[in-house]
Amino acid sequence: MPVRNQEIAAAFQKLADLLEIQGANQFRVRAYRNAALTIESHPKSMADMIAEGEDLQELPGIGRDLAAKIREYVETGRIRKLDELTSEVPEGLSILMKIEGLGPKKVKTLHERLGISSRQDLEAALHSGEIARIRGFGPKTEQKIIQGLSAYSAHSTRVKFITAHEIAQAYLEHLNDLNVVKKAIVAGSYRRKKETVGDLDILVICEKPELVMDRFTGFEEVGMVVSRGTTRSAVVLRSGLHVDIRVVPEESYGAALHYFTGSKEHGIAVRKIAQRNGLKINEYGVFCGQERIAGRTEEEVYRSVGLTYIEPELRENRGEIEAARKGALPRLISLKDIRGDLHTHTILSDGRNTLKKMVEAARRRGYEYLGVTNHSPQVTIARGIPSSVLLEQIEEIDRMNERYPDITILKSSEVDILKDGSLDYPAEVLKYLDFTVCSIHYHQHLSREKQTERVLRAMENPYFTIFGHPTGRLINEREPYEIDLERIIEAAREMGCFLELNANPDRMDLDDVYSKAAKEAGVMVAISTDAHSIFNLGYMEMGINQARRGWLEPGNVLNCLGVEDLKKRLRRI
């Protein structure tokens, strides 16, 4: 069976987890984590690279040892070192590390003191109160673990969109190889571009359903066939993701697509309009009595109830139906509207490519500008750079701007917002930057009031430009920190600041709700990739998905501006 990059990256992350629990050298642990990020974000399959004889050591951060382990996993489906660690460290401890509030040291302590080796063990120990009695834990830590466990349980059945996307595209390619397939599309939350996906629902128009069912259940990643029928089947993939397929007649395709795309709330609202007009809508069509009057296309379905077509990303029953009725739906942003990227990293801090390579990759995308935002000194884990190095980088950017007249390299930094609300560089350094992306990486457990005041104080600094990944969340891993984003958005409007929609698939931060709130308040949003490699620049598409769910139009997005207009907007002084 072919091995996907996601599988290899997961194996490397697990290796890093187990090594960290054992107390291994942090540089070694970080090497595995960096390698996992490189593998996961690479556009080409590691398996294909090996088959074509490409040198894996040319990838950023991949040396001889790591390249050998990638090859070993591709060829055998295992890594001997991982097998050894799994025999030494209970596998369940790696899962416990994914629970917010539990790091490697705490997991190791719980295992050694209470014999906790699984989520079930942890739940039992929390129920008995044993954890709070361990020195260094206490009631507050216990409460954080309870909250983290609850959040993990809520998200553990859903996968990130980027993972679902890779699988969905492979499944569609597999099905479309059959010449009897006329159309195949994935509906559900995947089509609405939600940041996490619970399962995949595939709709197909075809001539010979039995051949399609054979093809569907024979997909190479199927772990179990749950059911197999003449027009509907269901499987569970090796990854644990559930996939359903339905063969629908061409005359019902639009109705079925509308029904299975959802959301449930949107579908109910549309059906209520139909009922008031004496119509009935289901997955087979729009009916007036026994007569089907629409259903071949989604446009027909909406038109039958007096609505213009509503894009899938908007179908959450958050005002889209009223807007469609009034002809006031937004002209949603698309990838072609983006003129540049305002949050990227190079090897100067924790990036994987040089400034030159990042700039050349941006040029290949046709960008007018690229913001270079290496970390400030506070973020030691990401090799934040001191003022002297930042000033040297500014000089290098000046030289490169002369070399590349077709793109403007903007001088910036991802500046940490310190606990007291000050910024991590002094004003005499910040004045040389075109703009700043100001972010929180530490002290994320402050109260809602203190965290909000911290950011508001930072925004008063005239060198504060964009609030980076505003809630600090990591999807399925870390909950957002407590912060009053309504107050932050209002302050941004008053002070002339902006908010970031961080397109990293682990973050997607702002979410769709607050993206729309920023739009309604008149605050522009920067859709940025937070790219740590040339391949991460492709995350822009993920950010566009989120922006569309947040009703954003090109006029709401900072990096849809041309470079001269952008520079004017970025100036606060």
Side-chain angles (χ1 to χ4, degrees):
M1 293 181 181
V3 175
R4 298 197 178 280
N5 287 357
Q6 295 279 352
E7 293 179 56
I8 306 170
F12 273 49
Q13 287 287 15
K14 188 175 178 181
L15 257 167
D17 289 345
L18 298 178
L19 284 170
E20 199 164 8
I21 291 168
Q22 281 192 331
N25 181 289
Q26 277 299 307
F27 290 104
R28 188 180 177 203
V29 172
R30 194 175 303 157
Y32 279 111
R33 296 208 190 281
N34 287 340
L37 292 172
T38 296
I39 294 164
E40 187 175 37
S41 64
H42 200 279
K44 189 170 183 179
S45 160
M46 296 292 112
D48 288 346
M49 290 181 70
I50 291 169
E52 294 166 15
E54 294 187 45
D55 186 0
L56 298 181
Q57 293 184 62
E58 292 184 1
L59 297 173
I62 305 294
R64 185 171 62 181
D65 179 62
L66 294 177
K69 286 182 170 61
I70 295 171
R71 179 180 290 276
E72 182 184 2
Y73 192 90
V74 168
E75 293 176 350
T76 70
R78 316 169 66 97
I79 299 174
R80 284 191 301 275
K81 182 61 181 176
L82 181 56
D83 290 343
E84 291 171 11
L85 287 171
T86 302
S87 68
E88 296 168 8
V89 181
E91 189 172 355
L93 299 188
S94 177
I95 295 173
L96 294 184
M97 280 187 60
K98 300 183 187 302
I99 297 170
E100 188 177 359
L102 287 178
K105 291 181 180 178
K106 283 188 169 66
V107 167
K108 187 177 182 181
T109 299
L110 290 174
H111 178 60
E112 291 176 346
R113 296 288 300 276
L114 300 178
I116 293 175
S117 301
S118 67
R119 200 173 107 186
Q120 291 74 22
D121 293 344
L122 180 65
E123 289 171 344
L126 288 168
H127 183 72
S128 68
E130 291 177 285
I131 290 176
R133 294 193 287 271
I134 299 176
R135 186 176 178 181
F137 281 73
K140 285 187 178 179
T141 300
E142 182 185 54
Q143 189 57 38
K144 285 180 184 177
I145 295 171
I146 290 171
Q147 291 171 351
L149 182 60
S150 175
Y152 176 80
S153 300
H155 298 308
S156 59
T157 59
R158 298 183 67 84
V159 300
K160 295 169 191 172
F161 178 85
I162 194 168
T163 302
H165 182 62
E166 184 180 8
I167 295 168
Q169 293 307 303
Y171 226 136
L172 289 179
E173 185 178 338
H174 175 74
L175 292 170
N176 282 321
D177 279 345
L178 273 181
N179 58 15
V180 298
V181 173
K182 293 183 178 180
K183 285 183 183 178
I185 192 169
V186 182
S189 57
Y190 172 82
R191 186 167 179 243
R192 302 200 314 277
K193 303 296 192 295
K194 289 200 70 171
E195 59 211 16
T196 61
V197 174
D199 50 33
L200 297 177
D201 293 295
I202 303 175
L203 300 183
V204 173
I205 297 176
C206 65
E207 294 173 353
K208 297 181 179 179
E210 67 277 6
L211 294 181
V212 174
M213 294 301 133
D214 288 341
R215 187 76 175 171
F216 173 75
T217 55
F219 184 53
E220 55 207 358
E221 294 188 36
V222 169
M224 179 177 67
V225 176
V226 177
S227 64
R228 190 191 186 287
T230 54
T231 59
R232 179 179 176 183
S233 295
V235 298
V236 179
L237 304 186
R238 285 181 290 143
S239 64
L241 188 67
H242 289 247
V243 187
D244 285 2
I245 191 169
R246 292 172 177 84
V247 173
V248 298
E250 198 157 1
E251 61 270 20
S252 300
Y253 183 72
L257 189 54
H258 177 265
Y259 182 87
F260 289 109
T261 293
S263 66
K264 179 181 177 181
E265 293 78 11
H266 175 88
I268 290 171
V270 172
R271 289 196 294 276
K272 282 183 177 178
I273 297 173
Q275 288 169 3
R276 288 198 294 269
N277 291 315
L279 303 175
K280 178 182 177 182
I281 296 179
N282 57 31
E283 63 264 45
Y284 304 106
V286 182
F287 295 87
C288 183
Q290 298 299 311
E291 181 187 1
R292 181 193 288 114
I293 62 169
R296 185 172 290 270
T297 67
E298 286 188 306
E299 286 82 358
E300 283 185 5
V301 174
Y302 284 111
R303 194 161 53 244
S304 72
V305 292
L307 301 175
T308 56
Y309 177 77
I310 299 173
E311 295 286 352
E313 296 93 328
L314 297 181
R315 301 179 194 176
E316 301 292 344
N317 200 28
R318 296 177 187 160
E320 71 276 7
I321 291 174
E322 292 79 2
R325 186 182 286 121
K326 296 174 183 176
L329 285 168
R331 200 281 272 176
L332 296 179
I333 188 172
S334 68
L335 195 57
K336 70 179 187 299
D337 296 311
I338 294 294
R339 313 280 281 274
D341 198 331
L342 297 175
H343 186 167
T344 66
H345 298 267
T346 74
I347 56 172
L348 206 56
S349 63
D350 60 339
R352 291 164 185 78
N353 295 109
T354 62
L355 174 61
K356 182 174 182 287
K357 286 194 173 182
M358 293 296 287
V359 170
E360 288 176 346
R363 290 175 71 216
R364 287 194 294 272
R365 290 180 174 273
Y367 283 168
E368 293 181 32
Y369 46 84
L370 181 75
V372 180
T373 57
N374 286 311
H375 286 286
S376 63
Q378 170 83 357
V379 194
T380 54
I381 194 170
R383 302 195 303 276
I385 60 178
S387 297
S388 58
V389 177
L390 178 59
L391 293 172
E392 289 172 3
Q393 182 192 63
I394 288 171
E395 293 176 359
E396 182 186 9
I397 288 174
D398 284 336
R399 292 191 296 271
M400 290 198 73
N401 272 323
E402 292 178 3
R403 196 180 313 162
Y404 295 107
D406 58 336
I407 187 170
T408 300
I409 309 163
L410 297 168
K411 306 160 192 171
S412 184
S413 171
E414 185 173 10
V415 184
D416 239 48
I417 301 172
L418 304 182
K419 188 177 181 181
D420 64 358
S422 60
L423 300 184
D424 199 21
Y425 285 122
E428 54 265 30
V429 173
L430 294 172
K431 69 182 181 181
Y432 292 108
L433 301 178
D434 293 311
F435 71 100
T436 58
V437 176
C438 300
S439 308
I440 290 173
H441 292 102
Y442 296 96
H443 304 293
Q444 296 190 351
H445 294 292
L446 298 180
S447 69
R448 179 181 175 87
E449 184 64 26
K450 287 182 178 178
Q451 199 72 274
T452 304
E453 290 299 328
R454 170 190 189 180
V455 175
L456 292 175
R457 281 195 298 274
M459 291 172 74
E460 291 172 358
N461 189 313
Y463 295 108
F464 184 114
T465 315
I466 300 169
F467 184 21
H469 43 75
T471 74
R473 71 169 181 177
L474 292 175
I475 296 172
N476 288 357
E477 296 176 38
R478 184 175 71 205
E479 290 296 290
Y481 46 66
E482 291 292 332
I483 190 167
D484 187 343
L485 275 185
E486 287 85 358
R487 285 182 65 192
I488 298 296
I489 289 170
E490 181 59 26
R493 186 186 64 78
E494 292 175 0
M495 297 183 194
C497 301
F498 310 98
L499 271 63
E500 178 183 69
L501 194 169
N502 190 298
N504 183 301
D506 293 334
R507 291 188 182 276
M508 302 301 287
D509 182 14
L510 290 174
D511 68 12
D512 51 350
V513 173
Y514 281 111
S515 293
K516 189 180 181 190
K519 171 183 178 173
E520 291 170 348
V523 174
M524 294 188 80
V525 170
I527 305 174
S528 302
T529 62
D530 198 353
H532 284 65
S533 77
I534 58 175
F535 307 117
N536 294 161
L537 292 171
Y539 289 160
M540 187 62 73
E541 187 175 351
M542 302 294 108
I544 294 296
N545 291 344
Q546 186 82 313
R548 289 170 66 89
R549 287 181 55 77
W551 294 53
L552 297 191
E553 303 176 75
N556 309 127
V557 177
L558 199 58
N559 45 318
C560 287
L561 295 172
V563 66
E564 294 306 320
D565 287 339
L566 175 70
K567 284 181 175 180
K568 291 175 186 176
R569 286 293 184 100
L570 292 174
R571 291 192 197 106
R572 289 184 63 190
I573 297 178

